[in-house]
Amino acid sequence: MTNLNTLFTPCQLGKITLENRVVMAPLTRSRAGEERMPNDLMKEYYRQRKSAGLIISEATVISRQACGWLHSPGIYSDEQMEAWKPITQALHETETPIFLQLWHCGRASHSSFQENNQLPVSASAVKLNEDYIHTPIGKQPYETPRPLETEEIPRIVEDYRLAAERAKNAGFDGVEIHSANGYLIDQFLQSKTNHRTDKYGGSIENRYRFLKEIVEAVLTVFPANQIGVKLSPNGNFNDMGSPEYRELFTYVAKQLNHYNLAYLHIVDGLEFGFHNLGEPMTLTEFRQVFDGVLMGNCGYTKKSAEAVIKAGNADLIAFGRPFISNPDLVERFANNWPLNPPADMKDWYSFDPEGYIDFPTYQEMKNG
């Protein structure tokens, strides 16, 4: 039987009905200032993109220790929680659901982001092999992170739970646990960065334990059908990629399948980088072990997104860069209108309104 779903048919996430299957992917845009405080500029940015079936917020740090990116927002203080409320309220006025992405950078950080200039933390003392990181004191070489002590890990799990609690109080419809792209949870999952000998290291089951504990902590705040998890099995971003990636991510998806999550978000496309350790993992593979809502991401066009949904290999497709320069991406797709040129990379993280909230809709261009 052919799947009659298209990008423009509704999709059910628990009790939430998405009006379409075009998801706004989490996009770090660095407009929250040094205090990591959501603001009116961000409110306008999200409001402009309200026609997405679901918006996943930019990655939002769960603690001071989690920081590793200039001017990204936080959710570790009550002031930040209050500052998110106008954003969620603006989207609820247009009935657009929004999930908050919970983020800990782990080794993809620098001592200048940390309290008392401590080293960033990770699963193990494995340095990120890239040229430099942008820090509060300019471009700096990556440092060898400090491995977390076993007894420190419950505190970080609790940071995720508290962040989820604040997200709920701020009016978010759910949360996405960022377990992808070489950040802290991914550093625990992958053998490349996890050389531990305690209960969080060694076997795949042990390396999954940290994510499992975080999911179960967040489950005390939100029901499972308001929690998503993001994985990047093919990615080399932040110097990742482990030889047993296929076995690892198949196992993780099978375990997550037990929870009846809102969705599993897979960075299956290779435009963000590929580790070249074998054949890329596909959504078809994840479909075989995960029964819930499956979201694809990275490099999709309208045509390729339609094809994967019609084939039944995904329920939702997340679009990132096209949403930067096309606030009305859904309308453009629905009407086959041309897209704006891609945003210049210098504007992605510029801290300014330019290249952020000044992209015209198709109708504005037509009428202008």
Side-chain angles (χ1 to χ4, degrees):
M1 186 175 132
T2 49
N3 186 335
L4 299 177
N5 291 329
T6 73
L7 275 176
F8 310 105
T9 51
C11 182
Q12 205 63 30
L13 284 195
K15 293 178 181 174
I16 303 168
T17 303
L18 309 188
E19 291 302 314
N20 59 68
R21 294 163 187 263
V22 179
V23 176
M24 179 176 163
L27 290 160
T28 296
R29 302 301 310 279
S30 298
R31 263 67 175 194
E34 288 180 22
E35 297 302 312
R36 305 188 179 277
M37 202 68 70
N39 52 52
D40 286 344
L41 193 62
M42 290 166 58
K43 175 182 163 184
E44 176 61 15
Y45 167 75
Y46 283 110
R47 192 195 60 73
Q48 287 177 349
R49 288 152 182 80
K50 63 186 181 294
S51 56
L54 169 69
I55 291 176
I56 307 170
S57 84
E58 60 210 280
T60 300
V61 284
I62 59 161
S63 64
R64 292 187 189 280
Q65 183 198 67
C67 297
W69 203 289
L70 293 169
H71 297 201
S72 63
I75 190 73
Y76 51 83
S77 73
D78 289 345
E79 292 77 16
Q80 289 164 336
M81 176 186 79
E82 291 298 325
W84 275 111
K85 285 182 179 177
I87 296 173
T88 61
Q89 285 164 3
L91 290 167
H92 290 156
E93 284 166 15
T94 59
E95 299 185 348
T96 308
I98 180 169
F99 277 36
L100 181 77
Q101 192 189 58
L102 303 176
W103 193 27
H104 192 309
C105 290
R107 72 172 185 164
S109 181
H110 186 266
S111 53
S112 57
F113 283 106
Q114 303 293 321
E115 289 184 286
N116 305 318
N117 287 320
Q118 297 171 25
L119 284 171
V121 298
S122 186
S124 301
V126 181
K127 185 178 158 191
L128 201 162
N129 184 25
E130 299 280 354
D131 292 340
Y132 59 82
I133 177 173
H134 292 278
T135 82
I137 54 172
K139 288 181 184 178
Q140 296 293 319
Y142 280 97
E143 300 160 318
T144 301
R146 177 178 70 79
L148 284 160
E149 300 291 341
T150 307
E151 58 270 20
E152 289 181 279
I153 292 173
R155 173 69 238 183
I156 296 178
V157 173
E158 174 66 2
D159 286 339
Y160 275 94
R161 191 194 68 77
L162 289 169
E165 207 166 70
R166 286 196 173 97
K168 188 175 186 180
N169 290 336
F172 285 94
D173 299 286
V175 291
E176 177 176 284
I177 299 168
H178 192 352
S179 315
N181 297 347
Y183 295 112
L184 184 64
I185 297 173
D186 203 18
Q187 292 160 30
F188 270 81
L189 289 174
Q190 296 207 40
S191 61
K192 181 169 189 176
T193 41
N194 185 338
H195 301 169
R196 302 177 72 89
T197 55
D198 64 356
K199 65 180 182 176
Y200 294 98
S203 68
I204 285 176
E205 184 180 10
N206 279 0
R207 285 184 273 133
Y208 166 68
R209 189 187 306 273
F210 183 48
L211 173 56
K212 178 177 190 281
E213 289 179 357
I214 290 165
V215 170
E216 292 180 355
V218 174
L219 275 166
T220 66
V221 178
F222 281 104
N225 61 17
Q226 290 174 259
I227 301 169
V229 173
K230 182 179 183 183
L231 302 171
S232 54
N234 300 322
N236 67 353
F237 186 74
N238 278 326
D239 184 28
M240 296 304 285
S242 303
E244 78 302 344
Y245 68 99
R246 184 163 258 106
E247 185 189 356
L248 166 67
F249 286 103
T250 302
Y251 175 85
V252 172
K254 278 182 178 173
Q255 298 309 307
L256 294 174
N257 194 43
H258 299 315
Y259 291 108
N260 194 25
L261 297 173
Y263 60 81
L264 180 60
H265 183 175
I266 303 291
V267 184
D268 60 304
L270 308 182
E271 281 74 3
F272 213 47
F274 177 42
H275 51 54
N276 287 306
L277 294 169
E279 287 296 310
M281 289 191 77
T282 64
L283 293 177
T284 311
E285 287 179 75
F286 284 97
R287 192 54 114 188
Q288 289 164 4
V289 294
F290 188 80
D291 301 323
V293 171
L294 200 55
M295 184 189 302
N297 181 344
C298 194
Y300 278 93
T301 61
K302 180 195 171 187
K303 186 177 179 182
S304 62
E306 285 279 10
V308 78
I309 287 173
K310 281 181 178 164
N313 293 326
D315 304 285
L316 301 168
I317 298 294
F319 294 87
R321 293 173 192 177
F323 257 118
I324 293 179
S325 56
N326 298 279
D328 58 338
L329 186 68
V330 174
E331 290 86 347
R332 288 176 187 256
F333 280 169
N335 294 290
N336 290 313
W337 293 335
L339 301 188
N340 282 329
D344 194 313
M345 196 185 284
K346 71 175 173 53
D347 294 328
W348 292 2
Y349 320 118
S350 74
F351 313 156
D352 300 318
E354 291 74 33
Y356 188 57
I357 58 167
D358 56 354
F359 292 101
T361 65
Y362 180 78
Q363 295 289 14
E364 285 168 349
M365 284 173 63
K366 199 171 139 197
N367 298 333

